Amino acid sequence: MRGFCRRTKKVFVLVFIVLFVVWLFVTIIEFSFGLTVTTDDLIATGKTLRNGRQLKAFITSSYYYPISKSLGDNALALVLSINLVRNPANQLEHILSPDPSELIIMAQNASSSVIVSAPYVRVTPHEVCQVITIFATVQLISNVKSISMLGDNGMAEIPFTMPSYTKRDVVVCTSPLFVSEQWQNFLLAVHIYRKFGAHMNLYLISSVTSFYELMKEYEREGYMTVQPWVKVDFPGVPKTTADPFNQIEFRNQAASQTDCLLQFKESARFVTFLDLDDVLIPKIAPTYAEEFQKLMDGKKKLAYIFYHKENYDAVVARDSSRFSLKKMFGSLECKHNRETGKIVVDPRNLNYTWIHFPPILPNGLEKYEVTENVITHLKTIVWTDDQEQSRRILIEPLYFDNSTAKIISSKDILSIEKDLRRMIRKPRIRKIFAKLPNIHYFTDLVVKCYNDRYYRYHYSGRLGDIKCPGPQLCGFIQHPKIKCTHVTATHIPMETLYPITYYYATDAYFTSDIGCYAH
Ligand SMILES: *[C@@H]1O[C@H](CO)[C@@H](O)[C@H](O)[C@H]1NC(C)=O
Ligand SMILES: *[C@@H]1O[C@H](CO)[C@@H](O)[C@H](O)[C@H]1NC(C)=O
Ligand SMILES: *[C@@H]1O[C@H](CO)[C@@H](O)[C@H](O)[C@H]1NC(C)=O
């Protein structure tokens, strides 16, 4: 994921120039013919599209806010995955059938209804994948009972949920996990977040079954939430029209992050977006909230603060009966190698975000690059049979800057280790602990697949060969002894609407019937 933005910058710039020229061309034509957008035009657009390509939008988030400080009361926020990026082969279609610039939405309550149009914005800033993420928000009426998306030949009712109104200081949004075996890494992260005052909201596609059971216990104990992350699918739509398996960036990570931002928009003071192997530990204050507040105080209104990532190696016990966080902390070794970082936001100052940061800075807001602290990125985690280090020695891992600074104090390490022991003593967790995997298999396949099919092209400069890193980038040969729990849901087939057909999934749950896959 890192390097994606840096190395393909030139390609993006080129694509943007091309798009700008096309846009200029269309605008000039529109001006010279004196066209303005009216409802008739929308219908005409639909008619054109009926003969051209079809737009397919999958709703990944649909939140209705009875009260919202930043979106306005009775606001709806939608995140959609839509096949807006054209196949480079038929860019000309753009001129023949311009895309609609708004979504038309109808809301009803017990006594009245309203039809509104909502302009949408692009979340995905590049054109490498054809199915991209977009965001739209609009104010509706009070006590909404039903919401429908309108097309020129009909409409479709869509589901919606309320965002969280449970007050929290900090929410950590963990990017979707798939075929995950990294239970040691999870324990480190979840205990650190608890210690320093954050709630973990983890998006899950699939993981080894015992690891899934462990997460569910931590959820029961109030440390975190497991949020099912369902695949984008358009039942009945040919791949040539919209291909959600090959043409969505990184299992729709940007949409998951935006979902998390929207879900906690009204309830969290701060939201941050981290991968499971990114460990952020406060350095200039005793808690996350105090550190973030300190960094934001006295500055102009910030859309986000940006923490760099420093790579570390970690060594962990493969056997869960020998696992300790104390030893894991002690094993951390800095690689003196930096990667693209992650952001922390005040959710009132941002409406949507891409994988590393938002595609644009909202009007009048600024960003701040944090120099006071970094994210500890567990780049490689080695599983060993035994760790040399004796049980009694306590090593405080070093901060990356070659000073005498530590990432975490021995006092905090001991208190985190104590909390782990307290959890392991719980009978249900003890039972699961004994089943945690002592070998890793899918972890290695993922690393190899991403290097072979993705990063290799960045590092060798073969940018033209980069394909969309879609969910099907990596196929996995199953392992006879390793079983996964995987998300599933009901994907509803829809009647074609013009100009856009809207799809969604309902009844998401986890099952052991699917296997270890990335989507
Ligand atoms: C329906 O919405 C309108 C406009 O917001 C509001 O005045 C009315 O009270 C609502 N009706 C109900 C039953 O809530
Ligand atoms: C978020 O959306 C609301 C409603 O459209 C808008 O008023 C606000 O300025 C947006 N916030 C940012 C940071 O763009
Ligand atoms: C710290 O030392 C390592 C090697 O000893 C070096 O590669 C790295 O650049 C140094 N880092 C800083 C921030 O000075």
Side-chain angles (χ1 to χ4, degrees), residues 29-224:
I29 290 182
E30 278 182 357
F31 260 91
S32 46
F33 288 92
L35 295 179
T36 47
V37 177
T38 64
T39 336
D40 288 349
D41 287 338
L42 283 174
I43 291 165
T45 304
K47 281 186 184 135
T48 321
L49 278 170
R50 217 168 291 202
N51 306 318
R53 68 173 188 147
Q54 297 176 0
L55 288 172
K56 304 290 178 186
F58 184 88
I59 300 167
T60 50
S61 311
S62 164
Y63 289 109
Y64 172 66
Y65 301 74
I67 303 166
S68 170
K69 288 189 206 74
S70 57
L71 299 174
D73 291 349
N74 304 314
L76 174 71
L78 291 174
V79 183
L80 311 172
S81 293
I82 180 169
N83 59 334
L84 262 190
V85 173
R86 281 149 198 275
N87 204 318
N90 35 16
Q91 283 295 340
L92 216 71
E93 262 186 0
H94 189 69
I95 293 157
L96 303 176
S97 56
D99 293 327
S101 59
E102 293 175 324
L103 314 176
I104 315 293
I105 301 163
M106 184 174 78
Q108 282 180 302
N109 67 13
S111 59
S112 61
S113 69
V114 67
I115 293 179
V116 291
S117 58
Y120 61 82
V121 288
R122 275 181 72 140
V123 174
T124 313
H126 59 78
E127 305 257 317
V128 177
C129 303
Q130 284 161 24
V131 179
I132 61 164
T133 304
I134 61 170
F135 169 81
T137 183
V138 69
Q139 279 176 275
L140 304 173
I141 48 178
S142 49
N143 301 316
V144 160
K145 291 275 179 294
S146 79
I147 297 176
S148 300
M149 307 302 290
L150 304 195
D152 62 82
N153 60 329
M155 60 186 206
E157 188 172 343
I158 61 161
F160 60 92
T161 54
M162 303 265 242
S164 162
Y165 283 99
T166 309
K167 290 280 168 231
R168 294 189 197 278
D169 271 340
V170 178
V171 172
V172 174
C173 306
T174 307
S175 326
L177 293 190
F178 61 105
V179 302
S180 184
E181 299 164 316
Q182 305 275 7
W183 56 270
Q184 300 98 333
N185 188 176
F186 164 79
L187 288 170
L188 184 78
V190 79
H191 280 280
I192 289 175
Y193 297 153
R194 173 69 153 213
K195 167 78 187 163
F196 300 108
H199 180 81
M200 182 189 214
N201 191 66
L202 181 143
Y203 288 79
L204 183 62
I205 296 169
S206 62
S207 78
V208 169
T209 295
S210 52
F211 177 19
Y212 167 78
E213 290 168 353
L214 181 69
M215 287 189 268
K216 292 303 279 184
E217 284 307 311
Y218 271 79
E219 183 175 50
R220 264 170 57 97
E221 297 289 337
Y223 279 64
M224 55 139 359

Side-chain angles (χ1 to χ4, degrees), residues 354-371:
W354 183 56
I355 295 177
H356 291 288
F357 31 73
I360 54 156
L361 262 181
N363 262 347
L365 298 190
E366 302 197 345
K367 61 181 176 181
Y368 174 69
E369 207 177 304
V370 177
T371 52

Side-chain angles (χ1 to χ4, degrees), residues 466-519:
I466 290 181
K467 293 211 171 63
C468 176
Q472 269 187 353
L473 187 70
C474 309
F476 298 110
I477 296 170
Q478 301 295 294
H479 187 290
K481 291 210 176 105
I482 304 176
K483 299 291 172 229
C484 281
T485 294
H486 195 294
V487 71
T488 188
T490 306
H491 287 76
I492 317 280
M494 303 296 284
E495 294 285 337
T496 301
L497 275 190
Y498 297 95
I500 305 171
T501 316
Y502 298 89
Y503 294 79
Y504 56 87
T506 58
D507 308 320
Y509 65 97
F510 289 98
T511 171
S512 54
D513 296 343
I514 293 179
C516 302
Y517 297 98
H519 63 89

Side-chain angles (χ1 to χ4, degrees), residues 446-457:
V446 171
V447 169
K448 186 175 179 332
C449 167
Y450 273 90
N451 285 337
D452 286 358
R453 308 217 179 161
Y454 189 69
Y455 293 121
R456 185 159 68 109
Y457 298 117

Side-chain angles (χ1 to χ4, degrees), residues 241-282:
T241 303
D243 179 355
F245 295 131
N246 294 301
Q247 292 298 328
I248 288 193
E249 185 178 29
F250 292 123
R251 299 158 303 285
N252 222 2
Q253 189 177 333
S256 80
Q257 294 183 188
T258 302
D259 178 86
C260 196
L261 171 61
L262 293 171
Q263 187 178 161
F264 297 101
K265 207 172 203 310
E266 296 303 313
S267 58
R269 279 175 67 200
F270 302 99
V271 177
T272 179
F273 310 94
L274 298 171
D275 293 338
L276 187 62
D277 56 9
D278 295 332
V279 180
L280 180 57
I281 300 174

